[in-house]
Amino acid sequence: MKTETKTGKIIYWIATGWLSLGMLSTGIVQLIQMEEEVKNFDNLGYPHYLMPIIGVWKILGVIAIIMPGLERLKEWAYAGFFFTMSGAAVSHVLVKDPAISLFGPFLLLILTMLSWYFRPDNRKL
């Protein structure tokens, strides 16, 4: 299916909107180090200082994929989202978290791939 079809554009904007909301909200949660996220990081064995770093990068990634232009930066943002969410999923598996803990990372991973695949030609390198 061509990604420049009307259906492709609709899929792109829905996926990108939900991806942006998900990354922005989790980025803010990590940036302000909410108690539940601190517990999550403890459970995964990650140091707390990573929370604001990842949070800032998520927020900057959202800005990059939403803004027009900046095609190379968009590619980096999508790659960062992919690595972050796949790493989160693997981390939850490795510490034997319940399967439900994979829902968020997998959802954001799928939205990342859909947004990247269906992005309009003017947002590609």
Side-chain angles (χ1 to χ4, degrees):
M1 176 167 105
K2 279 193 69 168
T3 60
E4 281 293 314
T5 65
K6 185 174 182 169
T7 303
K9 289 177 184 178
I10 291 169
I11 293 170
Y12 168 76
W13 282 110
I14 290 172
T16 303
W18 282 107
L19 173 64
S20 297
L21 286 172
M23 288 297 180
L24 183 62
S25 63
T26 58
I28 291 169
V29 162
Q30 290 167 336
L31 189 60
I32 65 173
Q33 298 187 26
M34 283 182 65
E35 184 179 340
E36 189 168 325
E37 190 66 4
V38 170
K39 289 177 186 174
N40 186 39
F41 265 60
D42 288 341
N43 174 55
L44 296 172
Y46 293 150
H48 294 183
Y49 67 79
L50 282 180
M51 277 186 278
I53 295 169
I54 294 170
V56 166
W57 283 115
K58 282 181 177 180
I59 294 165
L60 291 174
V62 168
I63 293 168
I65 65 168
I66 297 261
M67 285 183 58
L70 309 171
E71 290 80 12
R72 187 168 312 278
L73 190 57
K74 286 181 194 328
E75 294 294 321
W76 280 94
Y78 281 119
F81 289 167
F82 181 86
F83 296 139
T84 302
M85 292 302 100
S86 60
V90 169
S91 296
H92 284 290
V93 169
L94 292 176
V95 298
K96 297 176 177 44
D97 275 346
I100 190 69
S101 66
L102 298 174
F103 178 77
F106 274 136
L107 176 61
L108 289 171
L109 192 57
I110 290 166
L111 291 170
T112 297
M113 291 186 289
L114 285 171
S115 176
W116 177 84
Y117 181 79
F118 285 101
R119 72 200 186 285
D121 287 341
N122 67 348
R123 291 177 173 263
K124 295 178 182 177
L125 277 178

